[in-house]
Amino acid sequence: MLRFVKWTTVVLLLLGLAVAPAAAQGSGAISGAVRNANTGAGIVGVTVYVLDSAGGVVASETTGAGGAYLATGLPAGTYYVKTYNTLGYIDEVYDNLPCDGGVCPDVTGGTGVAIAGTGTTPGVDFALELAGSISGSVWDDETSAPLAGVSVFVYNAAGIQVGVGYTNASGAYAVGGLAGGTYYARTGNSYGFVDELFGFQPCPMGVCPPVTSGDAIEVTAGATTPGISFWLSVGGAVTGTVAHAVSGDYLDGVSIFIYDSAGIQVGFGDAAGGVFMLDQLPAGSYYLRTVNAAGFVDELYDNLPCPGGVCPPVTSGTAVSVASGVMTGDIDFRLMPLLPGGSVRSDFTGDLTSDLLWRGTGGDLWLWGIKNAAHATDAYVGAVADPNWEIKGQADLNGDGMTDLVWRHKLDGTVYYWQLDGAHWAMPATELFVATVDISYDIVGTGDFDGDGKADLLWRNPAIGDLWLWRMNGAEVLGQSYVDTVDPSYAIRGLGDVNGDLKADVIWQGAAGDLWVWLMNGAVKDAQAYVGTVADPNYQVQQIADFDADMKADLLWWNSVAGDVWIWRLDGADVLSEHCVGVVANTDYRIQAAGDYNGDQKADILWRNVVAGDMWIWLMDGPAKASEAYLGTVGDLGYQIVK
């Protein structure tokens, strides 16, 4: 008797039925019969389970002569009844809810049977249909060897899984318990083969097309549909790493999405510890991209940034070839941190490459899109004919990753905000009034001082030297804070994050050539430190930009007489090194800007001949000039690059 109880418990667990805790016995009962739906004959040997509302089994009986059963000892309550058999019939939940493929619906979706606590509730009958089945084999497509241990999943016409079978040593399988109707099937394996949806549709990385797009399989009640077979190919794989572009440290929390040659996503995987592998891929060409929420700029392989998580068309990336049974390696990603306030200066289009904004003498504005250090596109932006309107800032004030414009009227002090529609290269998407400020104050810089991803405005009264910071959200002034007062003989040479805390700092220079840095935390000056002294007034700080991609801004110097160019690599106030980049003896060439014009996360130097109008880019690799590229000529010197 003990063995019988233990065996019964195991069977119940295998059926997915909960065993209800021992309960007080009642004197209620349920009776009925289980019959063949086609002939009406009683079926002997079917188990009938009585379950409570929690799905726990409270009684079970096996049908006897004529298919009859009687379940007794039931306290008052509402119960649900279902069958289980191994005789080739489709089980049911009372009343008439079939368990297709042996998978029953939730019993509480059936018809409850009320028990008063005494007496027998009769007529809880079942009419079971004979089950159909499908059978077939799974083979290695290359060797024709049978494949054991492969799962074959079966789905009904609605795409719901209703059964599963497993191949034996001969590669054969069968799935029974199916009602007559239409079904679909697919394989599942962990042996490196490319799974298939029946109808020769591959499932890269185990991800199939919608199952109802496969070939339909017709099943007849009481019969087996044979020949539902699969020939699986050995899959290829792609592997690589994901690392921080500056430190080289491997990154967690990054997923790799993979697309077929038509640009359709076929799967994804996570880069655990910075290493990923995508397998079970059919031979062919693929495209890969990253997806992360860890604060990095995603990329489309190879090295095409996805600003805001939006990539170029995936098929514009570098294709990765995959061969059957071969692992394609070294598909590596090096991601840049997503810096606040726009990661690249003067990036109007959000493609992580600096662009050029021009203004003519008539006030017309034109935007040049730069790609791979070349003039790729241009568009008319608009015209502000009144020369008293000055562009006082180019920065991302609303945190969308694209540069905006700050305008100020130098006579009446009015400030306006332009959010440029860089995605469409059109007129400003938004033109909003910000404030009117006493003209004794001037905007002396834009930068993200508080690390919220949105640039702020730094104001100074040049006569008395006091500074104020406006925290911005687009055109909205979130707050105004007094910063400090500095002797008017000290000039601000620029703003940049020199200590890598993702907050803008301020570089000052005195009349004697002494340089100082303010390390900022919002409007609070965390530290003030001496940097060095350059007494020769011919040396001028041209730009503050990150030339070596260490996330710390450096100083770009130019001698306006001798033409020599220097870069000071900074770590806060410390000058790590001083490098002479080169000499341009023809001083008709002037440095116009420093920006990332080829998308390698390192600032480059833009030159223009102020007489002839030709322009050149020095592509930088840290403090060294890697190469130079001709950008174009704008002979009309009335057009100036907005700085």
Side-chain angles (χ1 to χ4, degrees):
M1 179 62 106
L2 289 176
R3 287 179 184 158
F4 177 77
V5 170
K6 184 180 290 186
W7 178 85
T8 302
T9 301
V10 171
V11 169
L12 294 177
L13 292 175
L14 288 174
L15 292 174
L17 302 176
V19 180
Q25 292 290 308
S27 57
I30 296 175
S31 68
V34 181
R35 297 184 175 86
N36 184 308
N38 295 320
T39 66
I43 306 173
V44 178
V46 176
T47 302
V48 178
Y49 291 104
V50 179
L51 304 97
D52 60 21
S53 59
V57 176
V58 297
S60 65
E61 295 293 336
T62 302
T63 58
Y69 73 92
L70 174 66
T72 61
L74 302 175
T78 298
Y79 297 90
Y80 301 89
V81 188
K82 67 184 288 186
T83 67
Y84 172 73
N85 81 97
T86 58
L87 306 173
Y89 292 89
I90 299 171
D91 286 308
E92 288 185 359
V93 174
Y94 182 76
D95 184 19
N96 202 34
L97 291 180
C99 303
D100 203 4
V103 180
C104 291
D106 184 349
V107 293
T108 58
T111 300
V113 179
I115 298 296
T118 59
T120 298
T121 300
V124 182
D125 299 331
F126 296 86
L128 303 186
E129 300 277 355
L130 283 169
S133 64
I134 67 173
S135 66
S137 299
V138 181
W139 311 90
D140 184 322
D141 186 48
E142 183 176 350
T143 66
S144 297
L147 298 178
V150 176
S151 303
V152 178
F153 300 97
V154 177
Y155 303 80
N156 64 17
I160 299 170
Q161 185 183 326
V162 295
V164 61
Y166 306 94
T167 59
N168 59 21
S170 300
Y173 76 94
V175 179
L178 303 175
T182 299
Y183 294 88
Y184 303 89
R186 60 152 293 181
T187 64
N189 83 97
S190 58
Y191 308 119
F193 289 88
V194 180
D195 285 310
E196 283 188 1
L197 176 62
F198 183 66
F200 301 100
Q201 294 194 46
C203 305
M205 296 186 65
V207 180
C208 286
V211 292
T212 54
S213 67
D215 286 0
I217 303 166
E218 300 302 328
V219 172
T220 303
T224 296
T225 301
I228 309 303
S229 297
F230 301 85
W231 285 261
L232 305 186
S233 300
V234 177
V238 176
T239 185
T241 60
V242 182
H244 193 298
V246 178
S247 69
D249 294 337
Y250 286 154
L251 299 177
D252 280 314
V254 180
S255 297
I256 309 298
F257 283 44
I258 187 167
Y259 303 80
D260 64 17
S261 59
I264 299 171
Q265 185 183 334
V266 297
F268 71 93
D270 294 327
V275 179
F276 71 90
M277 184 177 74
L278 310 177
D279 59 1
Q280 289 183 277
L281 297 171
S285 293
Y286 295 88
Y287 301 91
L288 288 81
R289 63 156 293 183
T290 64
V291 175
N292 85 96
F296 290 84
V297 180
D298 285 311
E299 284 187 0
L300 172 65
Y301 185 78
D302 183 20
N303 199 35
L304 292 178
C306 305
V310 180
C311 286
V314 291
T315 53
S316 66
T318 300
V320 177
S321 295
V322 172
S324 179
V326 176
M327 180 177 292
T328 302
D330 299 325
I331 306 303
D332 300 326
F333 294 88
R334 298 293 178 261
L335 305 185
M336 281 295 294
L338 184 60
L339 303 181
S343 59
V344 178
R345 65 178 64 205
S346 301
D347 177 13
F348 290 92
T349 59
D351 64 355
L352 301 180
T353 301
S354 298
D355 306 306
L356 295 185
L357 183 67
W358 295 85
R359 191 181 188 190
T361 52
D364 51 320
L365 288 165
W366 294 81
L367 186 60
W368 278 19
I370 308 299
K371 202 70 175 174
N372 297 321
H375 175 193
T377 51
D378 58 64
Y380 173 71
V381 177
V384 179
D386 184 349
N388 292 309
W389 280 106
E390 299 176 329
I391 296 175
K392 302 298 291 186
Q394 300 181 66
D396 178 13
L397 272 69
N398 66 344
D400 66 356
M402 294 184 283
T403 296
D404 310 309
L405 297 181
V406 179
W407 292 85
R408 193 182 190 211
H409 198 282
K410 68 181 182 181
L411 298 183
D412 64 20
T414 306
V415 180
Y416 266 83
Y417 162 76
W418 276 18
Q419 178 189 344
L420 293 188
D421 187 3
H424 296 94
W425 291 75
M427 293 291 289
T430 305
E431 180 177 335
L432 297 173
F433 170 76
V434 177
T436 298
V437 180
D438 189 318
I439 60 172
S440 63
Y441 283 87
D442 193 14
I443 298 171
V444 291
T446 55
D448 183 6
F449 283 85
D450 55 6
D452 68 349
K454 301 169 185 177
D456 309 305
L457 303 184
L458 186 64
W459 293 84
R460 190 185 191 198
N461 185 320
I464 62 176
D466 58 323
L467 285 97
W468 291 77
L469 183 67
W470 284 15
R471 292 182 54 247
M472 303 300 295
N473 177 24
E476 179 185 6
V477 181
L478 300 178
Q480 304 177 24
S481 302
Y482 170 72
V483 180
D484 205 343
T485 297
V486 179
D487 187 321
S489 65
Y490 279 86
I492 294 176
R493 294 307 184 199
L495 309 180
D497 176 16
V498 299
N499 62 346
D501 66 354
L502 305 183
K503 298 175 184 177
D505 306 307
V506 186
I507 300 292
W508 295 86
Q509 189 172 23
D514 50 318
L515 278 92
W516 298 77
V517 62
W518 282 8
L519 301 178
M520 303 298 294
N521 181 13
V524 177
K525 180 173 54 175
D526 275 351
Q528 173 179 311
Y530 172 70
V531 179
T533 297
V534 179
D536 185 346
N538 294 321
Y539 282 99
Q540 302 163 7
V541 176
Q542 295 294 299
Q543 295 286 336
I544 301 173
D546 182 7
F547 288 91
D548 53 6
D550 67 351
M551 296 180 62
K552 298 174 185 177
D554 310 304
L555 296 185
L556 175 64
W557 295 86
W558 175 62
N559 188 311
S560 59
V561 175
D564 49 318
V565 179
W566 292 76
I567 287 177
W568 284 13
R569 293 181 55 247
L570 295 183
D571 180 9
D574 296 328
V575 180
L576 300 179
S577 59
E578 302 178 18
H579 299 267
C580 179
V581 180
V583 177
V584 179
N586 183 354
T587 54
D588 289 344
Y589 284 95
R590 308 283 175 85
I591 294 175
Q592 302 293 297
D596 182 6
Y597 299 109
N598 62 347
D600 66 353
Q601 290 87 44
K602 300 174 184 177
D604 309 304
I605 304 172
L606 176 66
W607 295 84
R608 188 187 189 196
N609 188 314
V610 297
V611 176
D614 54 311
M615 292 175 293
W616 296 79
I617 295 175
W618 282 10
L619 296 170
M620 304 298 294
D621 182 11
K625 181 175 69 171
S627 61
E628 59 184 53
Y630 172 68
L631 185 61
T633 297
V634 177
D636 184 348
L637 300 180
Y639 282 93
Q640 295 292 312
I641 297 171
V642 180
K643 303 178 183 179

